[in-house]
Amino acid sequence: MENNLVVQSNDLVMATYIMTTKEKELLLACISQIDSRPDAPSISKQTKFTITTDDMKALFYKDTTAKNVYRDLEQASNRLFEKEVTIELPNDEKLRTRFVSGCHFSPNNGEVKLAFAEDILPYLTQIKANFTKYKLLEISELSSIHAIRLYELIVCWLGQYQYSKSYDLDDFKYIMGVADKYQKFSQLKKRVIETAVDEINENTNYKVTVEYIKKSRGKGFQGLTLKFHKKTLDKLTDADGALSKEKIQSIVDNVQFMNDYNDHPSLSYDGKMNTDTFKREMFNIIQREPESFKKSNKTLESYLPKVSQGK
């Protein structure tokens, strides 16, 4: 199961809900069993997805008994059954629904079977475009719901060619599912922002930096800016740890880079034929999938201008 893909519509990733870590782990373990491809067999509200104590223990526990895992699994299922989610729709409309419509408990088998709510299925199945995907294993070391939530958002933003996001604090709290909590900035910073950023930086392939936006008048902060990139790009960062657009631009402007990677599979036909299009597309490809530049002795940093050594 650890190599299963979690695929969700971007609308669902950006939806509003409140959830604990155990509930989220259970939900993602179920989602990862869905074949979301457009030509995949259809799934209905009667389709059951089985999660066992062995599955959960292998992914999310380091040292515990099967009995305790089943207890957590049953409790998480009961709470997830009650959870609501609000999805923003076009024309200022909203959909209010639940994630699951039924839970079947089998303590003797150490398993739980869940069925998804009918209204949520279009955001999980037969998805053709505008979706976020990652391996279930990628979030297995994240113990905070805020870290998991931010991780999904980062993967979603990167898929839309966004490499930084700025929010007013109230908007950030809303999207993180803590709109009614942490009235003091110090609490929000410590318990949500720093916890999520530290866990992601320590346990995933992504690097996140945060800049806080001060209020125009008086003391305190009114917002924040998140910057994020894959760790394989660490050599292309500035002194503050954020990705350097200037360094990436110098790479795509390098004639040798263009000669070496004009056959990159993510380039469009126009990108292969037109220099300006090549540079524009490559700028995004480097940030989105830096691991794809793996030709021998042709790493991304090798195209950076050589720094002259003073005597």
Side-chain angles (χ1 to χ4, degrees):
M1 179 173 281
E2 62 183 20
N3 290 319
N4 285 9
L5 282 176
V6 175
V7 183
Q8 305 169 74
S9 163
N10 289 345
D11 290 333
L12 182 57
V13 174
M14 301 298 294
T16 306
Y17 55 86
I18 299 172
M19 197 171 292
T20 66
T21 303
K22 293 302 181 189
E23 293 160 19
K24 184 70 171 180
E25 290 172 348
L26 172 60
L27 178 65
L28 295 179
C30 288
I31 292 175
S32 75
Q33 297 181 47
I34 297 176
D35 186 344
S36 61
R37 292 173 297 181
D39 58 349
S42 60
I43 293 172
S44 72
K45 61 182 180 180
Q46 280 80 36
T47 305
K48 301 292 193 302
F49 295 89
T50 301
I51 302 297
T52 69
T53 55
D54 289 341
D55 292 334
M56 301 303 283
K57 188 175 180 179
L59 276 166
F60 303 116
Y61 291 83
K62 288 184 171 62
D63 184 21
T64 189
T65 65
K67 180 179 178 180
N68 289 338
V69 176
Y70 186 81
R71 177 203 61 199
D72 293 345
L73 188 55
E74 185 175 30
Q75 291 176 352
S77 299
N78 282 322
R79 292 194 300 264
L80 188 59
F81 180 73
E82 301 294 335
K83 294 297 182 182
E84 296 183 357
V85 55
T86 300
I87 301 173
E88 302 289 339
L89 303 175
N91 303 317
D92 294 324
E93 297 182 2
K94 295 181 180 180
L95 169 65
R96 183 184 178 191
T97 184
R98 298 181 184 275
F99 285 101
V100 301
S101 59
C103 307
H104 183 104
F105 302 100
S106 299
N108 293 332
N109 296 324
E111 64 182 33
V112 171
K113 295 180 180 179
L114 300 183
F116 286 101
E118 186 172 16
D119 282 337
I120 211 73
L121 286 174
Y123 300 93
L124 299 172
T125 64
Q126 299 183 338
I127 304 175
K128 297 180 180 180
N130 301 318
F131 57 85
T132 297
K133 69 176 180 179
Y134 59 87
K135 287 185 178 180
L136 185 60
L137 181 65
E138 294 174 34
I139 56 93
S140 63
E141 295 296 323
L142 301 179
S143 60
S144 163
I145 181 59
H146 307 310
I148 298 174
R149 178 69 171 143
L150 183 58
Y151 181 88
E152 286 189 331
L153 290 169
I154 287 172
V155 176
C156 177
W157 291 328
L158 286 172
Q160 301 176 66
Y161 313 112
Q162 300 180 64
Y163 310 103
S164 67
K165 290 289 290 187
S166 295
Y167 282 101
D168 289 336
L169 290 182
D170 286 344
D171 291 338
F172 181 74
K173 289 172 63 177
Y174 180 79
I175 198 171
M176 291 294 287
V178 293
D180 298 325
K181 298 181 179 180
Y182 310 116
Q183 301 305 314
K184 293 183 178 180
F185 172 75
S186 58
Q187 294 177 327
L188 177 68
K189 180 181 178 183
K190 180 179 180 180
R191 299 181 184 179
V192 179
I193 302 170
E194 290 183 347
T195 295
V197 169
D198 289 347
E199 283 198 19
I200 289 172
N201 287 343
E202 182 177 349
N203 299 299
T204 76
N205 292 325
Y206 294 92
K207 177 69 176 293
V208 188
T209 58
V210 188
E211 297 176 4
Y212 296 102
I213 303 170
K214 292 184 178 181
K215 292 180 178 179
S216 56
R217 295 182 180 180
K219 298 180 179 180
F221 298 90
Q222 67 179 23
L224 56 78
T225 297
L226 297 163
K227 297 181 180 180
F228 32 86
H229 63 268
K230 290 192 173 182
K231 289 179 180 176
T232 46
L233 289 174
D234 275 351
K235 292 183 179 180
L236 305 185
T237 58
D238 289 324
D240 61 359
L243 199 59
S244 170
K245 294 182 179 180
E246 290 74 18
K247 290 182 179 180
I248 294 178
Q249 190 63 54
S250 70
I251 291 174
V252 301
D253 287 340
N254 187 302
V255 175
Q256 188 60 52
F257 174 75
M258 187 180 302
N259 291 335
D260 292 339
Y261 283 102
N262 194 49
D263 60 347
H264 194 282
S266 294
L267 272 177
S268 69
Y269 177 80
D270 287 342
K272 295 176 181 179
M273 296 293 108
N274 181 278
T275 298
D276 290 338
T277 305
F278 173 90
K279 293 180 179 181
R280 184 173 61 253
E281 291 185 6
M282 269 301 181
F283 195 96
N284 286 322
I285 294 170
I286 287 174
Q287 297 183 79
R288 191 177 71 250
E289 45 183 296
E291 65 280 355
S292 64
F293 297 88
K294 54 187 178 182
K295 292 184 178 181
S296 179
N297 299 319
K298 295 176 181 179
T299 59
L300 289 171
E301 57 267 23
S302 69
Y303 299 98
L304 290 171
K306 305 300 181 184
V307 179
S308 59
Q309 299 294 325
K311 295 183 178 180

